[in-house]
Amino acid sequence: MAHIDLGIDEKEFPGITGPMRYRPETAKPLNELAEVLLRAPNTLPAGERELIAAYVSGRNDCEFCCASHSAFAAAQLDEGYDLVDQVRADLDSAPISAKLRALLRIAGAVQVSGRNVTSELVADARAQGATATEIHDTVLIAAAFCMFNRYVDGLGTFAPAGRDAYAATARQVVEFGYGATVRTD
């Protein structure tokens, strides 16, 4: 049970969805941020941006965010969960582009501290073809997910076990976006 009474059935509204129903006025800008960062037109495919979110959430040990964004990434990547699992297990040997690997290294540095992003990490990302916007968005995705992870875990919300628990939400996010995942009716 969450640390505060969210006034909902946590099994029906797990993880971040419970606090978002509890405070829809804060849910709106958080969902708008997620929508822009993870789904808006961008040179980085949505699946790769979701992979960045899952990677950071896994490093933060946020069970709900890691599982949900792993599902969202898997639903949008041709290689599905196989690739998500490989990236999370061993970034250095995962079969991804050098550019995505460099961006994930930046995301991992942000997860520790924004000050851990070095000129060398940025230069490597640029050398691998990353644009200034892709570097910017990677840093912001990583920073935002540190916040989202702390929001979810700081309130002690429920995280369902198993990948199947996230499949329906993944389909909904891919089809309709983040605003559709939180209803206040």
Side-chain angles (χ1 to χ4, degrees):
M1 187 166 127
H3 296 308
I4 61 172
D5 182 1
L6 299 172
I8 48 97
D9 176 352
E10 288 186 65
K11 291 197 165 116
E12 186 178 352
F13 300 101
I16 203 166
T17 62
M20 286 189 165
R21 282 189 68 92
Y22 179 75
R23 290 285 307 245
E25 61 275 24
T26 59
K28 184 178 185 300
L30 292 175
N31 277 315
E32 289 170 351
L33 178 61
E35 186 71 21
V36 168
L37 290 175
L38 302 174
R39 294 178 37 85
N42 193 301
T43 53
L44 281 178
E48 290 183 3
R49 289 179 277 160
E50 290 286 359
L51 184 58
I52 293 167
Y55 181 73
V56 169
S57 297
R59 289 174 56 104
N60 280 328
D61 295 320
C62 182
E63 184 179 344
F64 177 82
C65 293
C66 183
S68 60
H69 291 279
S70 290
F72 305 165
Q76 296 175 83
L77 295 168
D78 291 340
E79 305 86 352
Y81 270 114
D82 287 342
L83 181 61
V84 174
D85 292 342
Q86 289 175 331
V87 166
R88 293 201 49 245
D90 184 4
L91 178 60
D92 292 331
S93 68
I96 57 175
S97 70
K99 178 174 92 170
L100 181 56
R101 187 178 333 279
L103 292 172
L104 285 162
R105 285 189 179 120
I106 289 172
V110 170
Q111 180 267 329
V112 175
S113 169
R115 291 189 172 114
N116 282 20
V117 178
T118 63
S119 297
E120 292 80 19
L121 287 171
V122 172
D124 183 48
R126 286 183 186 198
Q128 301 305 327
T131 66
T133 300
E134 291 168 341
I135 293 166
H136 170 277
D137 289 359
T138 295
V139 169
L140 189 50
I141 291 166
F145 273 84
C146 286
M147 176 192 65
F148 289 132
N149 299 160
R150 285 157 180 80
Y151 182 39
V152 167
D153 289 341
L155 287 172
T157 63
F158 170 73
R163 291 182 170 168
D164 291 344
Y166 300 89
T169 302
R171 286 189 299 274
Q172 187 177 13
V173 165
V174 169
E175 187 171 351
F176 301 110
Y178 282 94
T181 62
V182 177
R183 298 180 317 273
T184 57
D185 50 293

